[in-house]
Amino acid sequence: MKKRIFFFLFLSAAFVAPLVKAQTEAQRIDLCVKAAGDVRFLSDYPVQLSGSGSGEKAPVFRKAIALHKGNRYRLTLCTDEESAGEGVLQLFDENKLVGSSFNTKTGTDYQSFDFDCRKSVFYILFISFKEGKEGSAVAILSHVKTL
Amino acid sequence: MFDRFLYIIVFIVFALQTMISCTCSRTRPDDFVIPDSIHDVSPEMLHDLSDDIVDNLSSSIETASLFKSLDVPFSQKYLASTKNISDYHTACDKAFNLGVFGADLGYLNMYGKTSMVSVYVLAMKNLADGISIGQFFNYATLKRLSDNNENIDSLIYISQQSFNRMDRYLRQSGRGNLSVVMICGVWIEALHLSCRFYVETANVRLAETIGEQKIMLAELVRMLQLYRNREETAALAEALTLLQNAYEPIEISVQAGDLDRIEQDGNLRIVQNETTVVHYTGEQIDEIVRTVELVRNKLIRQ
């Protein structure tokens, strides 16, 4: 009888676990959307990166995004509580950095930054974790207003 | 006997779990790297995105927001009719019109026309089910939000999120061609609305918005060419070629400028002073407007 109970508990846990994980990701996105403030949601980017060993360079998440002239966008990064590394979000126009959630000169982290776009082009969103640590985060792209 | 059965089941479940955890990860520890310091980023890292699908290409939210900021009155007559959905038989037709309705939904949401939203979300649900992505379209929540005339930002959030999830699933399940077709649908419908309101208002800002879509069109053509051997996307490829011909005389230049960093109350805002300048004539925009109407009405059979 005990074996049967164990068997059915095991089956339930095995099939529920992935659903719980999926729900957690949705909750993380919802929380980060709230953190972005009173803006219009455009897209979400859940990121989970492994850490790098000594001498190795850290892995990075990248995504090409179209931003359109005459709009203010907000980029928000929410590093997960259990993440080992602190996330950094950077926005590039070709090979030129146009925005970052981390100011390397002052050491200041910003959860969000706004970008007044005056050039319709494809930008590249980079997300990495400081010191090449393992980490997980959610980034949100949202529309603030027409300029 | 039961013990043996139990061990077999436990083994199968472990094997399935391992497979699921290996295939469902949405993130990609890419094979190139970026350090904390931006100085170590090489141009190759930034340019090696040729196989990537560009996000937010269609800009339906930005377009609808522009209409509102210009005080363009709401107009239902330019929206695609949901009565034609029985005419959309192929997966490509369904994906394209799902995109078209997605752009119309963004417009309705922005103007707070919640009573009409439910008609469009039902049509979108039917089309999404038709290409087996209905499970990612949050119909119940969208219907509840529209029926209860609830917060517009919530409607936009759930609509956008549903759309993004359907799009991602199409790409993850090896149907990237339908993803591109759906994005084309959103883009053409948003462009159609810009064209209609430009004809009504002759607003310079709308003319610029129409003109600068040359950049997005080039990318859509590139993305569609990845699937050029597929017969079902031939009509769309032909439509985009017609549009490219109409856009050919439009020129876009970049005026150099530095970035301004404005920090206020702990909030950071970056102002880009480098700008794109669209060079066009009224006749060139008129030709684009005519071509957009031609290809859009043909593709949605209106």
Side-chain angles (χ1 to χ4, degrees):
Chain A
M1 185 60 190
K2 276 182 183 174
K3 276 182 185 170
R4 281 169 198 256
I5 292 169
F6 162 75
F7 172 66
F8 288 113
L9 281 175
F10 173 81
L11 273 186
S12 308
F15 285 105
V16 166
L19 296 176
V20 170
K21 187 184 169 190
Q23 194 179 31
T24 305
E25 182 177 290
Q27 285 170 343
R28 284 161 52 211
I29 293 167
D30 283 345
L31 284 172
C32 202
V33 167
K34 285 192 181 99
D38 187 17
V39 288
R40 295 179 196 106
F41 171 88
L42 292 177
S43 202
D44 57 70
Y45 308 95
V47 177
Q48 187 159 23
L49 297 174
S50 55
S52 58
S54 61
E56 292 176 351
K57 286 189 175 180
V60 64
F61 170 89
R62 62 175 182 163
K63 183 74 198 166
I65 53 172
L67 300 181
H68 306 263
K69 180 184 173 179
N71 291 284
R72 179 175 295 167
Y73 294 95
R74 181 167 297 166
L75 289 135
T76 306
L77 184 69
C78 304
T79 304
D80 294 346
E81 278 179 14
E82 68 271 23
S83 173
E86 184 70 29
V88 177
L89 183 152
Q90 294 171 309
L91 185 69
F92 282 85
D93 169 12
E94 294 193 359
N95 57 353
K96 182 178 165 191
L97 182 77
V98 292
S100 176
S101 67
F102 179 58
N103 187 332
T104 49
K105 285 180 188 162
T106 62
T108 312
D109 281 300
Y110 303 90
Q111 187 173 38
S112 291
F113 67 87
D114 287 357
F115 179 61
D116 286 2
C117 180
R118 301 216 168 124
K119 187 179 164 191
S120 293
V121 75
F122 307 126
Y123 295 82
I124 303 162
L125 182 73
F126 278 89
I127 298 164
S128 55
F129 292 90
K130 288 180 190 172
E131 297 151 19
K133 286 183 181 170
E134 180 182 355
S136 55
V138 171
I140 302 292
L141 171 67
S142 41
H143 181 250
V144 182
K145 65 173 187 174
T146 303
L147 296 170
Chain B
M1 182 61 191
F2 182 77
D3 281 0
R4 199 172 164 189
F5 174 68
L6 190 149
Y7 289 131
I8 290 168
I9 291 292
V10 166
F11 175 77
I12 290 169
V13 168
F14 264 118
L16 281 173
Q17 282 272 49
T18 308
M19 283 165 67
I20 289 166
S21 65
C22 289
T23 55
C24 286
S25 173
R26 292 179 55 192
T27 55
R28 313 166 298 170
D30 290 8
D31 55 358
F32 77 100
V33 291
I34 188 171
D36 285 345
S37 164
I38 60 161
H39 303 297
D40 290 349
V41 178
S42 70
E44 290 75 23
M45 291 175 184
L46 296 158
H47 288 124
D48 185 24
L49 289 157
S50 54
D51 291 334
D52 214 351
I53 287 185
V54 178
D55 228 15
N56 197 41
L57 199 69
S58 48
S59 68
S60 59
I61 296 291
E62 290 95 319
T63 308
S65 175
L66 174 63
F67 300 152
K68 275 208 90 172
S69 75
L70 295 175
D71 292 327
V72 175
F74 175 79
S75 184
Q76 188 186 344
K77 64 184 173 189
Y78 299 135
L79 302 182
S81 170
T82 55
K83 289 174 185 164
N84 296 346
I85 63 166
S86 56
D87 295 337
Y88 308 142
H89 302 296
T90 68
C92 264
D93 279 347
K94 286 172 185 166
F96 183 81
N97 285 285
L98 187 54
V100 168
F101 291 153
D104 288 342
L105 179 64
Y107 175 68
L108 290 170
N109 282 341
M110 193 64 74
Y111 276 80
K113 301 294 175 188
T114 47
S115 59
M116 291 172 66
V117 163
S118 55
V119 176
Y120 278 81
V121 293
L122 180 60
M124 289 177 75
K125 166 82 175 138
N126 288 335
L127 291 175
D129 284 340
I131 49 174
S132 308
I133 51 172
Q135 68 272 33
F136 299 99
F137 189 74
N138 199 341
Y139 173 72
T141 306
L142 284 168
K143 184 155 187 344
R144 179 178 54 76
L145 288 172
S146 61
D147 288 350
N148 298 339
N149 206 6
E150 284 188 45
N151 185 286
I152 301 301
D153 285 341
S154 299
L155 256 175
I156 292 173
Y157 173 38
I158 304 296
S159 306
Q160 280 288 114
Q161 201 178 45
S162 292
F163 208 83
N164 293 347
R165 284 178 181 171
M166 291 191 294
D167 181 40
R168 280 174 191 165
Y169 181 73
L170 283 173
R171 281 182 250 161
Q172 285 166 356
S173 59
R175 294 187 289 164
N177 60 323
L178 294 183
S179 157
V180 175
V181 169
M182 194 166 76
I183 293 166
C184 285
V186 185
W187 179 78
I188 286 183
E189 186 68 357
L191 180 58
H192 150 78
L193 293 174
S194 297
C195 289
R196 289 296 94 206
F197 295 132
Y198 168 72
V199 169
E200 276 190 6
T201 63
N203 188 290
V204 175
R205 184 81 187 268
L206 288 173
E208 281 176 6
T209 301
I210 294 167
E212 72 177 11
Q213 294 305 312
K214 185 176 185 177
I215 302 166
M216 308 305 151
L217 175 60
E219 183 60 17
L220 288 170
V221 168
R222 184 196 70 78
M223 281 159 41
L224 202 64
Q225 274 178 347
L226 297 172
Y227 308 98
R228 59 183 168 273
N229 296 328
R230 310 246 181 155
E231 207 176 296
E232 65 271 20
T233 55
L236 184 56
E238 191 188 330
L240 294 189
T241 305
L242 279 175
L243 279 171
Q244 268 195 314
N245 293 341
Y247 267 101
E248 210 274 323
I250 304 288
E251 286 183 17
I252 298 168
S253 62
V254 176
Q255 215 165 54
D258 293 327
L259 292 166
D260 286 330
R261 285 172 57 91
I262 300 162
E263 206 169 336
Q264 202 169 28
D265 305 326
N267 298 316
L268 176 63
R269 180 158 63 90
I270 294 150
V271 179
Q272 187 180 41
N273 292 308
E274 192 166 80
T275 61
T276 37
V277 182
V278 185
H279 306 274
Y280 63 90
T281 65
E283 290 75 29
Q284 289 163 353
I285 297 295
D286 290 344
E287 179 56 26
I288 293 169
V289 168
R290 276 193 293 275
T291 312
V292 168
E293 294 322 296
L294 183 79
V295 301
R296 181 256 187 190
N297 293 343
K298 192 176 171 189
L299 287 166
I300 68 167
R301 299 187 182 89
Q302 192 157 291

